[in-house]
Amino acid sequence: MERITWDQFFMAQCHLLALRSTCTRLSVGAILVRENRIIAGGYNGSISGGDHCIDHGCYVVGNHCVRTIHAEMNALLQCSKYGIPVAGASVYVTHFPCLQCTKAIIQAGINHVCYALDYKNDDYAMKLFAQSGVSVQHIPFDERKVDFSGNGKFELVNDMLQKMQQLGADDKELGPLMQRVNDLFGK
């Protein structure tokens, strides 16, 4: 496996944190980084000790789940709770921050936002980031770079396709399948 970039490493951490999400509508993870060191992380979920959406359903008001604290806010609040300064740090997040998180990010002194997926990107959020001098960078996350069993999976699928060919499947049938395999594994 080749060494991944810092950006891909931090995005992988965000996606890993998102797996802890208790929101049934969208799983989001965020980390705060200073000098290539993670200082905090968060995922979207309920308050500590509160009811979770995965157990009790979303509590939706005005098309938003009000039970959930966003990943970016959880990371910022973790720093507040433990006295960790965030001014000058970067935030990496799985999805583009909502308007409320955008304002909190700016107010906390974060100077760089990196996100993997577009999600209801708010034009006003972009305007606020620009007005505040916060740089915003879209960094697509390539899950294949952190698939520790990817080579084994690729070999298994190739063996299966070869067996299909031996059993009489022709190139017309196997061609589209092989293309899908190559796309999936980035070959």
Side-chain angles (χ1 to χ4, degrees):
M1 180 183 287
E2 73 181 64
R3 187 174 191 207
I4 61 175
T5 66
W6 280 114
D7 285 337
Q8 286 298 305
F9 173 78
F10 296 134
M11 282 299 170
Q13 297 299 315
C14 292
H15 283 79
L16 187 60
L17 269 169
L19 295 174
R20 291 280 308 149
S21 172
T22 61
C23 179
T24 58
R25 295 167 49 131
L26 182 68
S27 296
V28 180
I31 60 169
L32 298 173
V33 174
R34 185 184 307 107
E35 297 174 8
N36 285 340
R37 300 292 177 259
I38 298 170
I39 59 175
Y43 53 87
N44 58 330
S46 302
I47 61 169
S48 297
D51 292 336
H52 294 286
C53 298
I54 57 174
D55 299 324
H56 301 281
C58 291
Y59 182 20
V60 179
V61 176
N63 206 26
H64 295 284
C65 180
V66 296
R67 188 184 314 270
T68 301
I69 300 170
H70 290 187
E72 303 93 323
M73 291 298 289
N74 263 331
L76 289 169
L77 291 169
Q78 186 180 68
C79 287
S80 175
K81 184 176 184 177
Y82 295 105
I84 302 168
V86 298
S90 299
V91 63
Y92 285 77
V93 63
T94 56
H95 296 76
F96 188 85
C98 73
L99 184 56
Q100 295 304 318
C101 287
T102 294
K103 293 188 280 186
I105 288 166
I106 293 167
Q107 202 67 6
I110 303 295
N111 62 13
H112 189 65
V113 175
C114 301
Y115 70 97
L117 298 167
D118 290 311
Y119 182 73
K120 300 181 181 180
N121 298 27
D122 189 286
D123 290 336
Y124 187 57
M126 286 301 294
K127 181 179 178 179
L128 289 176
F129 280 140
Q131 176 183 323
S132 301
V134 175
S135 63
V136 177
Q137 185 178 4
H138 178 234
I139 300 174
F141 177 62
D142 187 353
E143 295 173 6
R144 298 173 300 197
K145 298 284 187 188
V146 293
D147 183 355
F148 300 112
S149 58
N151 289 335
K153 292 175 189 175
F154 181 71
E155 289 172 14
L156 173 64
V157 172
N158 268 334
D159 290 348
M160 292 168 62
L161 289 173
Q162 287 176 3
K163 185 66 171 176
M164 289 173 65
Q165 190 173 35
Q166 291 170 359
L167 293 172
D170 63 23
D171 289 339
K172 183 178 179 183
E173 295 172 304
L174 294 177
L177 293 174
M178 188 48 129
Q179 183 60 52
R180 287 175 57 195
V181 168
N182 289 337
D183 291 344
L184 181 63
F185 291 100
K187 304 289 183 184

